[in-house]
Structure formats: structure tokens, C-alpha cells
Amino acid sequence: GDSVTQMEGPVTLSEEAFLTINCTYTATGYPSLFWYVQYPGEGLQLLLKATKADDKGSNKGFEATYRKETTSFHLEKGSVQVSDSAVYFCALSEWGAQKLVFGQGTRLTINP
Amino acid sequence: GAGVSQTPSNKVTEKGKYVELRCDPISGHTALYWYRQSLGQGPEFLIYFQGTGAADDSGLPNDRFFAVRPEGSVSTLKIQRTERGDSAVYLCASSLGGAGSDTQYFGPGTRLTVL
């Protein structure tokens, strides 16, 4: 079945560092890909998404490119801030289906 | 506008008891989803409603779990004969339509603890 694998955390960086959180997926068709974020004490919220190959999703300085050839959707940010500390989830939704399949999450801590 | 709301925020019950968890989706959203999140894991899909009907219930773990959405808005997740392994955060989400590319908006969750 469909699955999502994220790099294991926790990840700890200093402010202004470059961030990459790896995400790879397995799917039988043409999924849509998502990054969700869960800030401390808050609910899951969509960070960005891409619905077809080579699309780039972006929001709040974060970017991720849908790479069909490597079945990847890595999350990047050029300069992280303390306020980016959160748990990040990569997810997919198979074409024709509605449910989201999530990775296990990556906890990110940014130190000032 | 108002987001997805869930009640109660916390529920503690004893093994073998029956519980109901409520979800109030964003107004106008036809699609509603239930997920379960165990500690340190990503959410796992339970059931999806399009309108009043359960379009996909493939994630319900067994027949102790049941969900309804009688008027196409509020939904209730019902768990019979609770077990300690049912302890988790139960998340509800809604989306405008039922396309896989639609953004799902999540509620704050109900933390269920079965003693």
C-alpha cells in the first residue's frame, strides 16, 4: 500500500541555519503531496502542497518540489527561525482517493 | 471564520466503557475525515464522509468503532467496549470537496485515555 517515510528526528539547528527534512513516498498512482506542521499546543495545519510532478509548493519561506523520478518531496528552508520549532509531517493523497497517508513526523527545534 | 471544533478536548474512561467523540466541521465543507494519532506517530486514517454517507471506512480497526454524520455536518465517532490500546488523540478534519488534492483542515483533537 501507499506509504511515506520521513527522516528521523529530532532535528536541532541554530537560528539562520539551512533546513532539509527528507521525505520519500511509495504510491501506485499519481498522488498529491503535502507538508503539514504542528506547532506546540496547536493543531495540524497545512504548510504547503504540490499536486503533480515537478510542481513546487512554497509557504512561509519553506519549499518542496515534487520529484516523481526519485519519489521524493523534501522540505527546505534557507534560514530557519526559533518560531519554526514544531513537528513536521509529510503526507500523500492518492489520486482518486481522499484519505491522507502520513509519515511519522520530524520534530524540529531551533535554538537562538 | 470558525475552524473545525472537537469536543471534548480530553476524555478519560475506563476499560470496557462506551465513548462518543464529536466533530463540528467548517461550515459548507462536504467532506469530513477522522484520524487517530498515537504518541510519536503520524495520524492514521479511520473514516471519510462525503455528505451523510461514509464513502471510505477502510481505516476503522474493528467493529467496536463506528461513526455517523446524519445531517451532513456534525459527526460523532463512537467506540464501544474501549480498550487501553484505543488511547490516542482522535483528529477530525474537513475539506470543501472530496478531491484528494483538497486541503484538509484539522481540529485540535480529542485526547482519549482508557484506564
Coordinates of all heavy atoms in Angstrom, one line a residue, chain A residues 1-90:
Chain A
G1 N 0.8 -1.2 0.0 CA 0.0 0.0 0.0 C 0.9 1.3 0.0 O 2.1 1.2 0.1
D2 N 0.2 2.4 -0.1 CA 0.9 3.7 -0.1 C 1.6 3.9 1.3 O 1.0 3.5 2.3 CB -0.1 4.8 -0.3 CG -0.8 4.7 -1.6 OD1 -0.3 4.0 -2.5 OD2 -1.9 5.3 -1.8
S3 N 2.7 4.6 1.2 CA 3.4 4.9 2.5 C 4.3 6.1 2.3 O 4.7 6.5 1.2 CB 4.3 3.7 2.9 OG 5.3 3.4 2.0
V4 N 4.7 6.7 3.4 CA 5.5 7.9 3.4 C 6.6 7.6 4.5 O 6.3 7.2 5.6 CB 4.7 9.1 3.8 CG1 5.6 10.3 3.9 CG2 3.7 9.4 2.7
T5 N 7.8 7.9 4.1 CA 9.0 7.8 5.0 C 9.7 9.1 5.2 O 10.1 9.7 4.2 CB 10.0 6.7 4.5 OG1 9.3 5.5 4.3 CG2 11.1 6.5 5.5
Q6 N 9.8 9.6 6.4 CA 10.5 10.8 6.7 C 11.8 10.6 7.4 O 11.9 9.5 8.1 CB 9.7 11.7 7.6 CG 8.4 12.2 7.1 CD 7.7 13.1 8.1 OE1 6.5 12.9 8.3 NE2 8.3 14.1 8.7
M7 N 12.7 11.5 7.3 CA 13.9 11.4 8.1 C 13.6 11.4 9.6 O 12.7 12.1 10.0 CB 14.9 12.5 7.8 CG 14.5 13.9 8.2 SD 15.7 15.1 7.6 CE 17.0 14.9 8.7
E8 N 14.3 10.6 10.3 CA 14.0 10.5 11.7 C 14.5 11.8 12.5 O 15.5 12.4 12.1 CB 14.7 9.3 12.3 CG 14.0 8.0 11.9 CD 14.4 6.8 12.7 OE1 14.9 7.1 13.9 OE2 14.2 5.7 12.3
G9 N 13.8 12.2 13.5 CA 14.2 13.3 14.3 C 14.7 12.7 15.6 O 14.9 11.5 15.8
P10 N 14.8 13.6 16.6 CA 14.6 15.0 16.4 C 15.8 15.7 15.7 O 16.9 15.2 15.7 CB 14.5 15.5 17.9 CG 15.3 14.6 18.7 CD 15.2 13.2 18.0
V11 N 15.5 16.9 15.1 CA 16.5 17.7 14.4 C 16.6 19.0 15.2 O 15.6 19.6 15.5 CB 16.0 18.0 13.0 CG1 17.0 19.0 12.3 CG2 15.9 16.7 12.2
T12 N 17.8 19.3 15.5 CA 18.1 20.5 16.3 C 19.1 21.4 15.5 O 20.2 20.9 15.1 CB 18.7 20.2 17.7 OG1 17.8 19.4 18.4 CG2 19.0 21.5 18.4
L13 N 18.7 22.6 15.2 CA 19.5 23.5 14.4 C 19.6 24.9 15.2 O 18.8 25.2 16.0 CB 18.9 23.8 13.1 CG 18.8 22.6 12.1 CD1 18.0 23.0 10.9 CD2 20.2 22.1 11.7
S14 N 20.6 25.7 14.8 CA 20.7 27.0 15.2 C 20.0 28.0 14.3 O 19.8 27.7 13.1 CB 22.2 27.5 15.3 OG 22.9 26.7 16.2
E15 N 19.5 29.1 14.9 CA 18.8 30.1 14.1 C 19.7 30.5 12.9 O 20.9 30.5 12.9 CB 18.5 31.3 14.9 CG 17.3 32.1 14.5 CD 16.8 33.1 15.6 OE1 17.7 33.4 16.5 OE2 15.7 33.5 15.5
E16 N 19.0 30.7 11.7 CA 19.6 31.1 10.5 C 20.2 29.9 9.7 O 20.8 30.1 8.6 CB 20.5 32.2 10.6 CG 19.8 33.5 11.1 CD 20.8 34.7 11.2 OE1 21.9 34.6 10.8 OE2 20.3 35.7 11.7
A17 N 20.2 28.7 10.3 CA 20.8 27.6 9.6 C 19.9 27.1 8.4 O 18.7 27.5 8.3 CB 20.9 26.4 10.5
F18 N 20.4 26.3 7.5 CA 19.7 25.8 6.4 C 19.0 24.5 6.8 O 19.6 23.7 7.5 CB 20.6 25.5 5.2 CG 19.9 25.0 4.0 CD1 19.3 25.9 3.1 CD2 19.7 23.7 3.7 CE1 18.6 25.4 1.9 CE2 19.1 23.2 2.6 CZ 18.5 24.1 1.7
L19 N 17.8 24.3 6.4 CA 17.0 23.1 6.8 C 16.6 22.3 5.7 O 16.2 22.8 4.6 CB 15.7 23.6 7.5 CG 14.7 22.5 7.8 CD1 15.1 21.5 8.9 CD2 13.3 23.0 8.1
T20 N 16.8 21.0 5.8 CA 16.2 20.0 4.9 C 15.6 18.9 5.7 O 16.3 18.3 6.6 CB 17.3 19.3 4.0 OG1 17.9 20.4 3.2 CG2 16.7 18.3 3.1
I21 N 14.4 18.5 5.5 CA 13.8 17.3 6.1 C 13.4 16.4 4.9 O 12.6 16.8 4.0 CB 12.5 17.7 6.9 CG1 12.9 18.6 8.0 CG2 11.9 16.4 7.5 CD1 11.7 19.0 8.9
N22 N 14.0 15.3 4.9 CA 13.8 14.4 3.7 C 12.4 13.6 3.9 O 12.0 13.2 4.9 CB 14.9 13.3 3.6 CG 16.2 13.9 3.2 OD1 16.2 15.0 2.5 ND2 17.3 13.3 3.5
C23 N 11.8 13.4 2.7 CA 10.5 12.7 2.6 C 10.5 11.9 1.3 O 10.7 12.5 0.3 CB 9.3 13.6 2.7 SG 7.8 12.8 2.3
T24 N 10.3 10.6 1.4 CA 10.1 9.8 0.2 C 8.8 9.0 0.4 O 8.3 8.8 1.5 CB 11.2 8.8 0.0 OG1 11.4 8.0 1.2 CG2 12.6 9.5 -0.2
Y25 N 8.2 8.7 -0.8 CA 6.9 8.0 -0.7 C 6.9 6.8 -1.6 O 7.7 6.7 -2.6 CB 5.8 9.0 -1.1 CG 5.9 9.5 -2.6 CD1 5.2 8.8 -3.6 CD2 6.6 10.6 -2.9 CE1 5.3 9.2 -4.9 CE2 6.7 11.0 -4.3 CZ 6.0 10.3 -5.2 OH 6.1 10.7 -6.5
T26 N 5.9 6.0 -1.4 CA 5.5 4.9 -2.2 C 4.1 5.0 -2.6 O 3.2 5.1 -1.6 CB 5.8 3.5 -1.5 OG1 7.2 3.4 -1.2 CG2 5.5 2.3 -2.4
A27 N 3.7 5.0 -3.8 CA 2.3 5.1 -4.3 C 2.2 4.4 -5.6 O 3.1 4.3 -6.4 CB 1.9 6.5 -4.4
T28 N 1.0 3.9 -5.8 CA 0.7 3.1 -7.0 C 0.3 4.0 -8.2 O 0.5 3.7 -9.3 CB -0.4 2.1 -6.8 OG1 -1.6 2.8 -6.3 CG2 0.0 1.0 -5.8
G29 N -0.2 5.2 -7.9 CA -0.6 6.1 -8.9 C 0.1 7.4 -8.9 O 1.3 7.5 -8.8
Y30 N -0.7 8.5 -9.0 CA -0.2 9.9 -9.0 C -0.7 10.7 -7.9 O -1.7 11.4 -8.0 CB -0.6 10.5 -10.4 CG -0.1 9.7 -11.6 CD1 -1.0 8.8 -12.2 CD2 1.2 9.8 -12.1 CE1 -0.6 8.0 -13.2 CE2 1.6 9.0 -13.1 CZ 0.7 8.1 -13.7 OH 1.1 7.4 -14.8
P31 N 0.0 10.6 -6.8 CA -0.5 11.2 -5.6 C -0.3 12.7 -5.5 O 0.5 13.3 -6.3 CB 0.3 10.6 -4.4 CG 1.6 10.3 -5.1 CD 1.3 9.9 -6.5
S32 N -1.1 13.4 -4.7 CA -0.8 14.8 -4.3 C 0.1 14.7 -3.0 O -0.1 13.7 -2.2 CB -2.1 15.5 -4.0 OG -2.8 15.7 -5.1
L33 N 1.0 15.6 -2.9 CA 1.9 15.6 -1.7 C 1.8 16.8 -0.9 O 1.5 17.9 -1.4 CB 3.3 15.4 -2.2 CG 3.6 14.2 -3.1 CD1 5.0 14.3 -3.7 CD2 3.4 12.9 -2.3
F34 N 1.9 16.6 0.4 CA 1.7 17.7 1.4 C 2.7 17.7 2.5 O 3.3 16.7 2.8 CB 0.3 17.5 2.1 CG -0.9 17.3 1.2 CD1 -1.1 16.1 0.6 CD2 -1.7 18.4 1.0 CE1 -2.2 15.9 -0.2 CE2 -2.8 18.2 0.1 CZ -3.1 17.0 -0.5
W35 N 3.0 18.9 3.0 CA 3.7 19.0 4.3 C 2.7 19.7 5.3 O 2.2 20.8 4.9 CB 4.9 19.9 4.2 CG 6.1 19.1 3.7 CD1 6.6 19.0 2.4 CD2 6.9 18.2 4.5 NE1 7.7 18.1 2.4 CE2 7.9 17.6 3.7 CE3 6.9 17.8 5.9 CZ2 8.9 16.7 4.1 CZ3 7.9 17.0 6.3 CH2 8.9 16.4 5.5
Y36 N 2.5 19.1 6.4 CA 1.7 19.6 7.5 C 2.6 20.0 8.6 O 3.6 19.3 8.8 CB 0.6 18.7 7.9 CG -0.7 18.7 7.1 CD1 -0.8 18.0 5.9 CD2 -1.8 19.5 7.5 CE1 -1.9 18.1 5.1 CE2 -2.9 19.5 6.8 CZ -3.0 18.8 5.6 OH -4.1 18.9 4.8
V37 N 2.2 20.9 9.4 CA 3.1 21.3 10.6 C 2.2 21.4 11.8 O 1.0 21.8 11.8 CB 3.8 22.7 10.3 CG1 2.8 23.8 10.0 CG2 4.7 23.1 11.5
Q38 N 2.8 21.0 12.9 CA 2.1 21.1 14.2 C 2.9 21.9 15.2 O 3.9 21.3 15.7 CB 1.8 19.7 14.7 CG 0.9 19.6 15.9 CD 0.4 18.1 16.1 OE1 1.2 17.2 15.9 NE2 -0.8 18.0 16.6
Y39 N 2.6 23.1 15.4 CA 3.3 24.0 16.4 C 2.9 23.5 17.8 O 1.8 23.0 18.0 CB 3.0 25.4 16.1 CG 3.4 25.9 14.8 CD1 2.5 26.2 13.8 CD2 4.8 26.2 14.6 CE1 3.0 26.6 12.5 CE2 5.2 26.6 13.3 CZ 4.3 26.8 12.3 OH 4.7 27.2 11.1
P40 N 3.7 23.8 18.8 CA 3.4 23.4 20.2 C 2.1 23.9 20.6 O 1.8 25.1 20.5 CB 4.6 24.1 20.9 CG 5.7 24.2 20.0 CD 5.1 24.4 18.6
G41 N 1.2 23.0 21.1 CA -0.1 23.4 21.6 C -1.1 23.7 20.6 O -2.2 24.1 20.9
E42 N -0.8 23.5 19.3 CA -1.7 23.8 18.3 C -2.1 22.5 17.4 O -1.4 21.5 17.5 CB -1.2 24.9 17.3 CG -0.9 26.2 18.1 CD -0.5 27.3 17.1 OE1 -0.7 27.1 15.9 OE2 0.1 28.3 17.6
G43 N -3.1 22.7 16.6 CA -3.5 21.6 15.7 C -2.7 21.5 14.4 O -1.9 22.4 14.1
L44 N -2.8 20.4 13.7 CA -2.2 20.3 12.4 C -2.7 21.3 11.4 O -3.9 21.6 11.3 CB -2.5 18.9 11.8 CG -1.6 17.7 12.1 CD1 -2.3 16.5 11.6 CD2 -0.2 17.9 11.6
Q45 N -1.7 21.9 10.7 CA -2.1 22.9 9.7 C -1.3 22.6 8.4 O -0.1 22.3 8.5 CB -2.0 24.3 10.2 CG -0.7 24.7 10.7 CD -0.7 26.1 11.3 OE1 -0.6 27.1 10.6 NE2 -1.0 26.2 12.6
L46 N -1.9 22.9 7.3 CA -1.2 22.7 6.0 C -0.1 23.8 5.9 O -0.3 24.9 6.1 CB -2.1 22.8 4.8 CG -1.5 22.7 3.5 CD1 -1.1 21.2 3.2 CD2 -2.5 23.1 2.4
L47 N 1.1 23.3 5.5 CA 2.2 24.2 5.3 C 2.3 24.5 3.8 O 2.4 25.6 3.3 CB 3.5 23.6 5.8 CG 4.8 24.5 5.6 CD1 4.7 25.8 6.3 CD2 6.0 23.7 6.1
L48 N 2.4 23.4 3.0 CA 2.4 23.6 1.5 C 2.0 22.3 0.9 O 2.0 21.2 1.5 CB 3.8 24.0 1.1 CG 5.0 23.2 1.5 CD1 5.2 22.0 0.6 CD2 6.3 24.0 1.5
K49 N 1.7 22.3 -0.4 CA 1.4 21.1 -1.2 C 1.8 21.2 -2.6 O 2.0 22.3 -3.1 CB -0.1 20.9 -1.0 CG -1.0 21.8 -1.8 CD -2.5 21.4 -1.6 CE -3.4 22.4 -2.4 NZ -4.9 22.0 -2.2
A50 N 1.8 20.1 -3.3 CA 2.1 20.0 -4.7 C 1.2 18.9 -5.3 O 1.2 17.8 -4.7 CB 3.6 19.8 -5.0
T51 N 0.6 19.1 -6.4 CA -0.3 18.1 -6.9 C 0.1 17.4 -8.1 O -0.5 16.4 -8.6 CB -1.7 18.8 -7.2 OG1 -1.5 19.8 -8.2 CG2 -2.3 19.4 -5.9
K52 N 1.2 17.8 -8.7 CA 1.7 17.0 -9.9 C 3.3 17.1 -10.0 O 3.9 18.0 -9.4 CB 1.1 17.4 -11.2 CG 1.3 18.8 -11.6 CD 0.5 19.1 -12.9 CE 0.9 20.5 -13.4 NZ 0.5 21.6 -12.6
A53 N 3.8 16.2 -10.7 CA 5.3 16.1 -10.8 C 5.9 17.5 -11.2 O 5.3 18.1 -12.1 CB 5.7 15.0 -11.8
D54 N 7.0 17.8 -10.6 CA 7.8 19.0 -10.9 C 7.2 20.3 -10.3 O 7.8 21.3 -10.4 CB 8.1 19.2 -12.3 CG 8.9 18.0 -12.9 OD1 9.8 17.5 -12.2 OD2 8.7 17.7 -14.1
D55 N 6.0 20.2 -9.7 CA 5.4 21.3 -9.0 C 6.2 21.7 -7.8 O 6.7 20.8 -7.1 CB 4.0 21.0 -8.5 CG 2.9 21.4 -9.6 OD1 3.3 21.8 -10.7 OD2 1.7 21.2 -9.3
K56 N 6.3 22.9 -7.5 CA 7.0 23.4 -6.2 C 5.9 24.0 -5.4 O 5.3 25.0 -5.8 CB 8.1 24.3 -6.5 CG 8.8 24.9 -5.3 CD 9.8 25.9 -5.6 CE 11.1 25.3 -6.2 NZ 12.2 26.3 -6.3
G57 N 5.8 23.5 -4.1 CA 4.9 24.2 -3.2 C 5.8 25.1 -2.3 O 7.0 24.8 -2.0
S58 N 5.2 26.2 -1.9 CA 6.0 27.1 -1.0 C 5.1 27.9 -0.1 O 4.0 28.2 -0.5 CB 6.9 28.1 -1.9 OG 6.0 28.9 -2.7
N59 N 5.6 28.2 1.1 CA 4.9 29.0 2.0 C 5.8 29.3 3.2 O 6.6 28.5 3.6 CB 3.7 28.2 2.6 CG 2.8 29.0 3.5 OD1 2.7 30.2 3.4 ND2 2.0 28.3 4.3
K60 N 5.7 30.6 3.7 CA 6.5 31.0 4.9 C 8.0 30.7 4.7 O 8.7 30.5 5.7 CB 6.0 30.3 6.2 CG 4.5 30.5 6.5 CD 4.1 29.8 7.8 CE 2.7 30.1 8.1 NZ 2.3 29.4 9.4
G61 N 8.5 30.8 3.5 CA 9.9 30.6 3.3 C 10.3 29.1 3.1 O 11.4 28.8 2.8
F62 N 9.4 28.2 3.3 CA 9.6 26.8 3.1 C 9.3 26.4 1.6 O 8.4 27.0 1.0 CB 8.7 25.9 4.0 CG 9.1 26.0 5.5 CD1 8.5 26.9 6.3 CD2 9.9 25.0 6.0 CE1 8.9 27.0 7.6 CE2 10.3 25.0 7.3 CZ 9.7 26.0 8.2
E63 N 10.0 25.5 1.1 CA 9.7 25.0 -0.2 C 9.9 23.5 -0.3 O 10.6 22.9 0.5 CB 10.8 25.6 -1.2 CG 10.7 27.0 -1.4 CD 11.7 27.5 -2.5 OE1 12.7 26.8 -2.7 OE2 11.5 28.6 -3.0
A64 N 9.1 22.9 -1.2 CA 9.3 21.4 -1.5 C 8.9 21.2 -2.9 O 7.9 21.7 -3.4 CB 8.5 20.6 -0.6
T65 N 9.7 20.4 -3.7 CA 9.5 20.1 -5.1 C 9.1 18.6 -5.2 O 9.8 17.7 -4.7 CB 10.7 20.4 -5.9 OG1 11.0 21.8 -5.8 CG2 10.4 20.1 -7.4
Y66 N 8.0 18.4 -5.9 CA 7.5 17.0 -6.2 C 8.4 16.4 -7.3 O 8.4 16.7 -8.4 CB 6.1 17.2 -6.7 CG 5.2 16.0 -6.9 CD1 3.9 16.1 -7.1 CD2 5.8 14.7 -7.1 CE1 3.0 15.0 -7.2 CE2 5.0 13.6 -7.3 CZ 3.6 13.8 -7.4 OH 2.8 12.7 -7.6
R67 N 9.2 15.4 -6.8 CA 10.1 14.7 -7.7 C 9.6 13.3 -8.0 O 9.8 12.4 -7.1 CB 11.5 14.7 -7.1 CG 12.1 16.0 -6.8 CD 12.6 16.7 -8.0 NE 13.4 17.9 -7.7 CZ 13.5 18.9 -8.6 NH1 13.0 18.9 -9.8 NH2 14.2 20.0 -8.3
K68 N 9.0 13.1 -9.1 CA 8.5 11.8 -9.4 C 9.6 10.7 -9.6 O 9.4 9.6 -9.3 CB 7.5 11.9 -10.6 CG 6.7 10.6 -10.9 CD 5.6 10.9 -11.9 CE 4.7 9.7 -12.1 NZ 5.4 8.6 -12.7
E69 N 10.7 11.2 -10.3 CA 11.7 10.2 -10.6 C 12.4 9.6 -9.4 O 12.9 8.5 -9.4 CB 12.7 10.9 -11.5 CG 13.5 12.0 -11.0 CD 12.8 13.3 -11.1 OE1 11.6 13.4 -11.4 OE2 13.4 14.4 -10.8
T70 N 12.4 10.4 -8.3 CA 13.1 9.9 -7.0 C 12.0 9.7 -6.0 O 12.4 9.4 -4.8 CB 14.1 10.9 -6.5 OG1 13.5 12.2 -6.4 CG2 15.3 11.0 -7.4
T71 N 10.7 9.8 -6.3 CA 9.6 9.7 -5.4 C 9.9 10.4 -4.1 O 9.8 9.8 -3.0 CB 9.2 8.2 -5.1 OG1 10.3 7.5 -4.5 CG2 8.8 7.5 -6.4
S72 N 10.2 11.7 -4.2 CA 10.6 12.5 -3.0 C 9.9 13.8 -3.0 O 9.4 14.3 -4.0 CB 12.1 12.7 -3.0 OG 12.5 13.5 -4.1
F73 N 9.8 14.4 -1.8 CA 9.2 15.7 -1.6 C 9.9 16.3 -0.4 O 9.3 16.6 0.7 CB 7.7 15.5 -1.4 CG 6.9 16.7 -1.4 CD1 6.9 17.6 -2.5 CD2 6.0 17.1 -0.4 CE1 6.1 18.7 -2.6 CE2 5.2 18.2 -0.5 CZ 5.3 19.0 -1.6
H74 N 11.2 16.6 -0.5 CA 12.0 17.1 0.6 C 11.6 18.5 1.0 O 11.5 19.4 0.1 CB 13.4 17.0 0.3 CG 13.9 15.7 -0.1 ND1 13.5 14.5 0.5 CD2 14.8 15.3 -1.1 CE1 14.0 13.5 -0.1 NE2 14.9 13.9 -1.0
L75 N 11.5 18.8 2.2 CA 11.2 20.2 2.7 C 12.5 21.0 3.0 O 13.4 20.4 3.6 CB 10.4 20.1 4.0 CG 9.9 21.4 4.6 CD1 8.8 22.1 3.7 CD2 9.3 21.2 6.0
E76 N 12.5 22.2 2.5 CA 13.7 23.0 2.7 C 13.4 24.4 3.1 O 12.3 24.9 2.8 CB 14.5 23.1 1.4 CG 15.1 21.8 0.9 CD 15.9 21.9 -0.4 OE1 15.7 22.9 -1.1 OE2 16.8 21.0 -0.6
K77 N 14.3 25.0 3.9 CA 14.2 26.5 4.2 C 15.6 27.0 4.3 O 16.4 26.4 5.0 CB 13.4 26.7 5.5 CG 13.1 28.2 5.8 CD 12.2 28.4 6.9 CE 11.9 29.9 7.1 NZ 11.1 30.2 8.2
G78 N 15.8 28.2 3.8 CA 17.1 28.7 3.7 C 17.7 29.2 5.0 O 18.9 29.2 5.3
S79 N 16.8 29.7 5.9 CA 17.2 30.4 7.1 C 16.1 30.2 8.1 O 15.1 30.9 8.1 CB 17.5 31.9 6.9 OG 17.9 32.5 8.1
V80 N 16.3 29.2 9.0 CA 15.2 28.9 10.0 C 15.2 29.9 11.2 O 16.3 30.5 11.5 CB 15.3 27.5 10.5 CG1 15.1 26.5 9.4 CG2 16.7 27.2 11.2
Q81 N 14.1 30.0 11.8 CA 13.9 30.9 12.9 C 13.4 30.1 14.1 O 12.9 29.0 13.9 CB 12.8 32.0 12.6 CG 13.1 32.8 11.4 CD 14.4 33.5 11.5 OE1 14.7 34.2 12.5 NE2 15.3 33.4 10.5
V82 N 13.5 30.6 15.3 CA 13.1 29.9 16.5 C 11.6 29.5 16.4 O 11.2 28.5 16.8 CB 13.3 30.8 17.8 CG1 12.7 30.1 19.0 CG2 14.8 31.0 18.0
S83 N 10.8 30.4 15.8 CA 9.4 30.2 15.6 C 9.1 29.0 14.7 O 7.9 28.6 14.6 CB 8.7 31.4 15.1 OG 9.3 31.9 13.9
D84 N 10.0 28.5 14.0 CA 9.8 27.3 13.1 C 9.9 26.0 13.9 O 9.6 24.9 13.3 CB 10.9 27.2 12.0 CG 10.8 28.4 11.0 OD1 9.6 28.9 10.8 OD2 11.8 28.8 10.5
S85 N 10.2 26.1 15.2 CA 10.2 24.9 16.0 C 8.8 24.3 16.1 O 7.8 24.9 16.4 CB 10.7 25.2 17.4 OG 12.0 25.7 17.4
A86 N 8.7 23.0 15.7 CA 7.4 22.3 15.5 C 7.7 20.9 15.1 O 8.8 20.5 14.9 CB 6.6 23.0 14.5
V87 N 6.6 20.1 14.9 CA 6.7 18.8 14.3 C 6.1 18.9 12.9 O 5.1 19.4 12.7 CB 5.9 17.8 15.1 CG1 6.0 16.4 14.5 CG2 6.3 17.7 16.6
Y88 N 6.9 18.4 11.9 CA 6.6 18.4 10.5 C 6.2 17.0 10.0 O 6.9 16.1 10.3 CB 7.8 19.0 9.7 CG 8.0 20.5 10.1 CD1 8.7 20.8 11.2 CD2 7.5 21.5 9.2 CE1 8.9 22.2 11.5 CE2 7.7 22.8 9.6 CZ 8.4 23.1 10.7 OH 8.6 24.5 11.0
F89 N 5.1 17.0 9.3 CA 4.6 15.7 8.8 C 4.5 15.8 7.2 O 3.9 16.7 6.7 CB 3.2 15.4 9.3 CG 3.1 15.1 10.8 CD1 2.9 16.1 11.7 CD2 3.3 13.8 11.2 CE1 2.8 15.9 13.0 CE2 3.3 13.5 12.6 CZ 3.0 14.6 13.5
C90 N 5.1 14.8 6.6 CA 4.9 14.7 5.1 C 3.7 13.7 4.9 O 3.5 12.8 5.7 CB 6.2 14.1 4.5 SG 6.2 14.0 2.7

